[in-house]
Structures are given as C-alpha cells and as structure tokens.
Amino acid sequence: MGGYQDLSEFERGDIVGAREMGHSISEIAMKFGFSRTTILRVYREYRESGKTSNLRHHCGRKKIMQEWDQRRLTRIIKRDRRATLPHIAADFNAGPSTSVSV
C-alpha cells in the first residue's frame, strides 16, 4: 500500500470508522496493512478538521476538457451509440469549445 498521501477517500473512511468503533491503532494496522504512522496521521487529521479529505486532486496537470465539455461529449455519444470515433470527434469539434484529435 502507498503512503499517507496516496490513500483514497474510501481507505481514509475505513481507518476513521474503525478507530471510532474503538479498535486500537495496532489492530487497524494489522487489518488494513497500513503503517501505524499513516493511521495516526489520518485519524489526527479527522479529529482536527472533522473531515478526511485528500487535497492531492489540486496538484498536477490541468484537465484538458472542462466539465461542460464532458457533458457535451456525453450527449453526443448518447445521441448516436453506434457512431465511430472520427464521427464523434467531428461532432464535438463542431461546437464552440475545446477541439479533440483522434
């Protein structure tokens, strides 16, 4: 398993839930396979802020398609389920937004 920063929201919830149910740090470490330090950090973050969020989604490369582009692409695909990729790309590129290459 990865380190503290690599935990998914679900894994963090599992750790907090097990701790809230009264399990010890060592029991949780053996059950889920995380280090004791990782469990302590996740639970401390939960106690201090009241949430288990991981802010890693704010780093890295920016998204190529915006949310409205994704919705538009979904509508194009739903309109014609048998359309080929070049046809879908042409329909998408005919719109006012980001162009996509095939």
Side-chain angles (χ1 to χ4, degrees):
M1 214 15 88
Y4 167 74
Q5 295 294 329
D6 297 326
L7 293 176
S8 70
E9 192 68 30
F10 185 79
E11 292 167 330
R12 289 169 178 263
D14 278 349
I15 291 171
V16 170
R19 191 71 178 113
E20 289 289 312
M21 287 174 45
H23 294 287
S24 71
I25 301 292
S26 298
E27 289 174 339
I28 298 169
M30 288 188 309
K31 174 76 175 168
F32 295 115
F34 302 124
S35 69
R36 294 181 75 240
T37 304
T38 297
I39 294 166
L40 285 168
R41 286 179 181 171
V42 168
Y43 193 65
R44 183 183 310 126
E45 178 184 346
Y46 171 73
R47 274 195 333 234
E48 290 173 358
S49 68
K51 55 188 172 183
T52 61
S53 65
N54 183 356
L55 300 178
R56 288 198 69 179
H57 63 274
H58 290 297
C59 65
R61 180 178 176 180
K62 299 218 185 255
K63 292 184 178 181
I64 294 173
M65 291 177 50
Q66 299 297 324
E67 188 177 333
W68 57 83
D69 289 331
Q70 292 175 353
R71 287 194 303 261
R72 199 166 116 244
L73 184 59
T74 302
R75 283 194 303 271
I76 290 169
I77 293 170
K78 283 183 179 179
R79 186 174 48 209
D80 185 8
R81 292 270 183 190
R82 296 181 182 212
T84 62
L85 187 57
H87 185 266
I88 292 170
D91 283 352
F92 186 82
N93 291 336
S97 190
T98 312
S99 63
V100 174
S101 62
V102 179

